[in-house]
Amino acid sequence: MHFKRSDFPNGFQFAAATSSYQIEGHSFGGAGTTHWDTFAATPGNVVRAEDGAVACDHYHRWEEDLDLMQAMGLDAYRFSTSWARVLPEGRGTPNADGLDFYDRLVDGLLARGLNPMVTLYHWELPVPLADLGGWRNPDIAHWFADFTTVVMERIGDRVFSAAPVNEPWCVGWLSHFMGHQAPGLRDIRATAHAMHHVLTAHGRSVQAMRALGVKNIGAVCNFEYAHPVDDTPEAAAAARLYDGYYNRFFMGGLFKGAYPEDVMEGLGPHMPKGWEDDFALIGQPLDWVGLNYYTCKRIAPTDGPWPAHEEVPGPLPKTQMGWEIYPDGLHHFLTWVHETYTRGLPLYVTENGMANPDTLDVPDQARIDYLDAHLAAARQAIADGVPLAGYTFWSLMDNYEWALGYEKRFGLIHVDFETLKRTPKASYHALAKALAS
Ligand code: IFM
């Protein structure tokens, strides 16, 4: 690694991230069924129909995982709380074991000198709420605020930071327009409703946390750089629209009190009643913003219905996901979010990393190079005036990569999914060395 701790500002938080369904093992501890369980059980949705029933068994092995983070020299751990573990029915009576688990986790982090960064929702919606329409139902904002209160009454006094929802684009677009994630819908009306309700839910969750006195509340969005496939005005417009519903829609809602006009040309007719009146709720003041960044896309126009474009393969080296490696995009989004929307709020890279077909006998040099290049882009953004306060590696360990099952390995720590043995990879050791310097 070509960086030292002293290359970053004082107090900069180096962290690793995971999410509940991807690592905990949802068959343990009284968690309720989630829409990911039913999505995965439906033929054709997930590679080998794999699900999160056992995952990395972090539910039982969490102490070992926290020890590994401490030994690596990290400052913080970004994890999520499972709605279905805490409220198996989505509402009503909490599962005491679920709350106890997150309570132990937070205390375990603090005892090891690791700052707990919590995200309340990372995609495992309880099925009773999915049955009521899930993110299409406007009431989800209230259900989510109630869930927020239950969790934060228990751990909100001890967390370093809190965010309501991980990656609203995935909750809205990827899951309701593209159908690649649960609930697997491909419907523009469902998309418009989910894209809006994920932001009203964010707003009510922030209000619930403020009412409890929770400090350091932010939002975590994902960003992808859109390159036009060629020099034509049609390709430029196609890439611009991709940027609109991916990057500008959520930032616009959170910070500008409006959705982008180009996106509303398509979604406008399908929006829920009264959506224009919700921006005061959505735009709750925030203390920080987190950016998840991995890749760029090449966008080509098509003759199809709105949005009338498609992704085509690009020329750059790719990760195991087939994602192009483009660190300049991280620098672009850090400076653009700061200058256009957040203007001085602390920013965090809340996810960055790559999947690689890792084996235990071959060092993961590709991941070391990927992280090095992205950390250099982050340092450049800091030099350019961006108030970047932390950097989070995705992921602490190999885990359930959603519709792609267990074969896409994002971890700094290798997990053998037969034995569940953890083995730190070369990237873990390289980061530990840099963080100790
Ligand atoms: O694994 C996911 C994570 O759940 C959300 N952000 C992107 C990661 C890699 O695809």
Side-chain angles (χ1 to χ4, degrees), residues 64 68 71-72 360 364 396 411-415 421-429:
E64 178 186 355
L68 284 165
M72 190 181 151
L360 282 179
D364 56 336
L396 175 66
L412 302 174
I413 297 170
H414 181 275
V415 177
K421 183 172 172 359
R422 279 82 161 133
T423 309
K425 301 180 188 175
S427 55
Y428 170 102
H429 294 297

Side-chain angles (χ1 to χ4, degrees), residues 1-294:
M1 291 281 172
H2 294 96
F3 80 96
K4 305 187 287 303
R5 253 193 195 275
S6 53
D7 296 334
F8 288 86
N10 277 343
F12 195 84
Q13 299 290 301
F14 285 98
T18 64
S19 89
S20 45
Y21 193 81
Q22 291 179 275
I23 65 163
E24 286 174 2
H26 251 65
S27 52
F28 309 127
T33 308
T34 84
H35 69 170
W36 263 97
D37 299 308
T38 56
F39 182 77
T42 309
N45 282 344
V46 177
V47 173
R48 291 182 294 274
E50 288 168 346
D51 60 27
V54 174
C56 306
D57 188 21
H58 173 73
Y59 184 78
H60 297 108
R61 297 167 194 246
W62 61 273
E63 288 182 284
E64 178 186 355
D65 297 335
L66 269 50
D67 288 345
L68 284 165
M69 276 188 280
Q70 185 186 31
M72 190 181 151
L74 291 172
D75 306 300
Y77 174 46
R78 177 171 177 254
F79 66 99
S80 71
T81 50
S82 162
W83 193 337
R85 180 177 296 293
V86 170
L87 295 171
E89 296 299 317
R91 298 176 288 178
T93 310
N95 167 31
D97 288 347
L99 283 171
D100 289 349
F101 173 69
Y102 295 117
D103 199 44
R104 282 197 299 275
L105 188 70
V106 168
D107 282 346
L109 287 166
L110 294 173
R112 290 167 178 79
L114 293 161
N115 286 323
M117 298 170 151
V118 65
T119 303
L120 282 147
Y121 181 76
H122 198 127
W123 310 350
E124 55 287 290
L125 192 71
V127 286
L129 302 183
D131 291 345
L132 296 173
W135 291 100
R136 288 172 289 152
N137 188 328
D139 291 343
I140 196 159
H142 297 282
W143 306 333
F144 188 54
D146 292 345
F147 162 61
T148 299
T149 300
V150 171
V151 172
M152 286 307 189
E153 275 178 344
R154 188 68 180 267
I155 63 171
D157 57 333
R158 280 160 293 146
V159 296
F160 171 83
S161 66
V165 177
N166 183 65
E167 300 184 348
W169 179 83
C170 293
V171 176
W173 193 273
L174 189 66
S175 308
H176 294 83
F177 195 75
M178 300 176 81
H180 292 180
Q181 298 210 336
L185 296 180
R186 299 189 68 241
D187 182 274
I188 196 165
R189 178 175 160 83
T191 306
H193 285 228
M195 300 264 286
H196 184 64
H197 294 151
V198 74
L199 287 177
T200 54
H202 158 90
R204 292 228 179 271
S205 172
V206 173
Q207 285 179 332
M209 287 194 273
R210 296 275 183 224
L212 291 172
V214 176
K215 304 276 185 325
N216 208 16
I217 300 172
V220 174
C221 296
N222 52 331
F223 297 84
E224 270 189 6
Y225 192 91
H227 293 283
V229 70
D230 57 33
D231 292 340
T232 60
E234 292 78 12
R240 175 88 186 139
L241 181 56
Y242 186 92
D243 176 70
Y245 62 72
Y246 207 116
N247 306 312
R248 287 180 283 117
F249 185 88
F250 301 101
M251 286 289 111
L254 292 170
F255 290 99
K256 302 266 188 209
Y259 295 139
E261 281 176 21
D262 50 354
V263 180
M264 295 317 285
E265 276 174 28
L267 293 189
H270 310 287
M271 292 295 282
K273 219 167 151 200
W275 64 273
E276 300 93 335
D277 303 327
D278 287 333
F279 287 109
L281 170 64
I282 291 169
Q284 298 296 307
L286 295 174
D287 304 311
W288 55 272
V289 165
L291 291 84
N292 293 359
Y293 175 78
Y294 292 90

Side-chain angles (χ1 to χ4, degrees), residues 19 22 122-123 166-167 292 294 321 323 351 394 399-402 410:
S19 89
Q22 291 179 275
H122 198 127
W123 310 350
N166 183 65
E167 300 184 348
N292 293 359
Y294 292 90
M321 297 289 279
W323 294 348
E351 283 183 26
W394 184 272
N399 59 48
Y400 179 63
E401 180 52 26
W402 305 112
F410 273 92

